[in-house]
Amino acid sequence: MKTMDRETRKFGRLWKIGGFLSFAVYYSGVLACYRFIVKKVLKKHHGVILVYHRVQDSPEDAHMSVRTRTFERQIDYLQKHFQILPLDCIEEHGRYLEARNCCIITFDDGYRDNFLNAYPALKKRRIPAAIFVVSGSVGKGPKWVSRDEMREMVSHGILIGSHTVSHPLLTDISSDEAFHEIMASRIQLEEMLGKTVDFFAYPRGKRTNYNEAIRKMVEKSGYKAAVTMENGLIGQEKNRFELKRIGIRECPSYVFKVRVSGFFESPPFLWIRNLLKI
C-alpha cells in the first residue's frame, strides 16, 4: 500500500511537470511548428493507443479519473483529428493505416463507470474501444462492471480484453501463479462473453512489472497481443506483446492535445524519459 502511495505521488508530480511543459509547448507555438514539420515537410503520420481508467465525476480515484464532460470533449477532438480504430486493427494492419493519424482508445480494470459514463458517449459517436477487465472483479459490487454490461458493450463494438484474475503484480508472484492469472482470466471472460478474448494488459504495465518470461506466458496462453503502460507510439514497441500506450487523466485541453500529438514520444524526449525512468 505504501508502495502504491509513493507511486501515486510520483506520477502526480510528473503530471504537474508535464502540464507545465505542455503549457509552454502549446502556447509558445512549438507544437504547431512540430505538427507542420511532421505532416507537411516529413509527410508522416503517427498512431497512439490511449489508456483511461475511470470516467466519473466524484473525487474518488482522482489521480486516474477523467470527468465525464472532459471525456466527451476529448473523444470529440480525437474524432475530428484522428482516425479512431478498434484495437484488433493492430493484428489486421500490422501498425496503422497511413491515410491520417490514428488512435485506439482503451480502458484498464473494468470499472462500472466505463459502462455508465464512457460507453454512452462512445456508442452515440460510434467509436470503438477496448476495456481490459479484471475477471475476478466482474459483478463484485457497484464499483465493477457486470457480465450483462460487458455483453451489452460488446454488442456495440466494445472489445473486452483480459487484465488477469485479481490484478497482482506478475513479477511479485510465482511463475505458476502468474500463468494462472494470465490464462484463467481469459477462460473466465470467454465463458462470460461467449466469444474469444484475444488481448491482454499487464497489471501496472511498466517495464518493471513484466519480463520476458511473463511475456512468453501471455503468448503461450493464446493471446494475439498485449499492451503495457510504457509511453510510446504505435510502431515503437519491440513486438505486438509490448504495445505502448499513453495514459490519460483529468487535464486541461492543451495538455491532452500535446499528449496525443506524439510530441513527448519523439526520439529525443523518449531518450530523456528512459534515462530518468519516467
Side-chain angles (χ1 to χ4, degrees):
M1 192 68 179
K2 290 182 179 179
T3 301
M4 287 289 288
D5 289 341
R6 285 198 299 270
E7 291 202 3
T8 298
R9 289 195 296 270
K10 174 186 174 183
F11 285 110
R13 290 193 296 269
L14 291 175
W15 263 90
K16 288 180 181 178
I17 295 171
F20 174 79
L21 291 175
S22 296
F23 182 89
V25 167
Y26 187 81
Y27 286 106
S28 67
V30 170
L31 181 63
C33 291
Y34 170 79
R35 286 171 170 165
F36 177 82
I37 292 171
V38 170
K39 185 176 181 180
K40 299 298 184 180
V41 179
L42 300 179
K43 300 187 182 303
K44 289 185 176 180
H45 299 87
H46 73 276
V48 293
I49 304 177
L50 304 183
V51 53
Y52 293 86
H53 285 80
R54 306 200 64 178
V55 178
Q56 47 105 24
D57 300 318
S58 80
E60 182 184 13
D61 295 331
H63 65 286
M64 60 177 183
S65 296
V66 171
R67 295 191 185 98
T68 305
R69 183 64 190 123
T70 301
F71 178 73
E72 292 173 349
R73 287 196 296 264
Q74 288 177 351
I75 61 175
D76 284 341
Y77 176 84
L78 293 173
Q79 200 165 35
K80 182 177 180 180
H81 296 280
F82 289 78
Q83 181 177 10
I84 303 178
L85 302 174
L87 179 61
D88 51 14
C89 80
I90 290 288
E91 181 71 11
E92 181 180 350
H93 299 294
R95 290 174 183 256
Y96 53 90
L97 301 182
E98 296 182 358
R100 57 185 296 199
N101 292 341
C102 80
C103 173
I104 297 169
I105 298 171
T106 69
F107 300 80
D108 277 5
D109 298 335
Y111 290 101
R112 190 163 184 251
D113 53 61
N114 293 178
F115 173 76
L116 295 175
N117 301 326
Y119 169 60
L122 295 168
K123 181 182 176 183
K124 178 181 178 181
R125 296 162 177 80
R126 298 182 181 180
I127 294 175
I131 302 178
F132 292 97
V133 175
V134 177
S135 63
S137 297
V138 175
K140 298 296 177 64
K143 190 174 184 176
W144 304 104
V145 71
S146 71
R147 180 181 65 175
D148 289 343
E149 289 164 347
M150 288 195 301
R151 293 170 73 96
E152 156 74 13
M153 290 190 286
V154 168
S155 69
H156 288 90
I158 304 299
L159 182 151
I160 300 296
S162 165
H163 202 31
T164 72
V165 176
S166 62
H167 202 279
L169 296 182
L170 295 174
T171 50
D172 288 352
I173 58 179
S174 70
S175 58
D176 288 343
E177 291 172 315
F179 186 74
H180 171 77
E181 288 280 343
I182 294 165
M183 187 68 174
S185 62
R186 184 184 187 201
I187 294 171
Q188 291 171 5
L189 289 171
E190 288 181 342
E191 289 176 348
M192 294 178 198
L193 299 171
K195 64 180 303 178
T196 303
V197 171
D198 291 325
F199 296 89
F200 181 81
Y202 301 98
R204 200 83 61 82
K206 290 295 184 182
R207 62 174 65 88
T208 54
N209 306 132
Y210 69 93
N211 52 35
E212 181 66 14
I214 290 170
R215 188 194 65 75
K216 288 182 178 179
M217 288 181 197
V218 175
E219 188 170 3
K220 183 179 178 181
S221 296
Y223 294 98
K224 291 182 178 179
V227 296
T228 73
M229 285 295 291
E230 287 295 308
N231 293 291
L233 306 177
I234 298 173
Q236 290 180 333
E237 68 281 339
K238 296 178 182 178
N239 57 58
R240 69 181 188 277
F241 289 94
E242 294 183 84
L243 300 175
K244 298 178 183 291
R245 295 187 291 176
I246 295 174
I248 302 297
R249 58 187 288 185
E250 182 67 28
C251 61
S253 61
Y254 63 82
V255 174
F256 179 77
K257 291 174 183 178
V258 174
R259 289 291 284 150
V260 301
S261 72
F263 183 83
F264 287 139
E265 278 63 47
S266 59
F269 274 101
L270 278 183
W271 183 84
I272 294 171
R273 292 166 74 162
N274 289 332
L275 184 66
L276 298 176
K277 297 181 179 180
I278 59 175

